[in-house]
Amino acid sequence: MAHINLVVAVFIWVMIYPMMIQIDGSAVKDVGKKPRGLVLTLVINWLIKPFTMAALGVLFFQSIFAPFVDQQSASEYIAGMILLGVAPCTAMVSFCSTARCANARSAAC
């Protein structure tokens, strides 16, 4: 049975909530008119990052640190790295939005 750390869940919600309330519904509705940023984000997040993280995981946990990590743990660490690779970073999205003068329509990093 999986256990959820409620403190971590609350802090993640506190971190994400301010960005959620600033979403412009009309901008979300019009996202298909200029799909370049959305397509770029999807390609990077789902086609590039997971495989890059898998390659890095194999490099580090099955090659470089193989003497220090048992095979079962190495497989779990690699799976964790892949999950980290596909999870968009909230801080990065926030930074990109700020760096682009808070223009939500072009904030796809």
Side-chain angles (χ1 to χ4, degrees):
M1 181 174 159
H3 296 282
I4 298 172
N5 187 333
L6 291 178
V7 175
V8 172
V10 168
F11 281 121
I12 289 173
W13 181 256
V14 168
M15 182 175 65
I16 294 172
Y17 184 73
M19 286 179 260
M20 288 174 48
I21 61 174
Q22 295 178 2
I23 294 175
D24 180 15
S26 63
V28 173
K29 179 180 65 168
D30 296 335
V31 75
K33 292 180 181 175
K34 293 184 180 178
R36 190 177 110 188
L38 181 63
V39 170
L40 179 63
T41 301
L42 289 173
V43 166
I44 290 172
N45 283 343
W46 294 104
L47 297 178
I48 296 174
K49 285 173 41 179
F51 298 107
T52 304
M53 292 302 283
L56 287 172
V58 168
L59 173 70
F60 282 101
F61 293 113
Q62 290 184 349
S63 297
I64 297 173
F65 296 125
F68 307 109
V69 181
D70 64 280
Q71 185 61 34
Q72 175 66 31
S73 295
S75 297
E76 292 172 2
Y77 287 139
I78 292 168
M81 288 184 69
I82 294 169
L83 289 174
L84 284 172
V86 298
C89 177
T90 305
M92 181 180 71
V93 172
S94 177
F95 169 76
C96 289
S97 298
T98 305
R100 295 179 187 216
C101 302
N103 185 348
R105 293 180 184 171
S106 65
C109 290

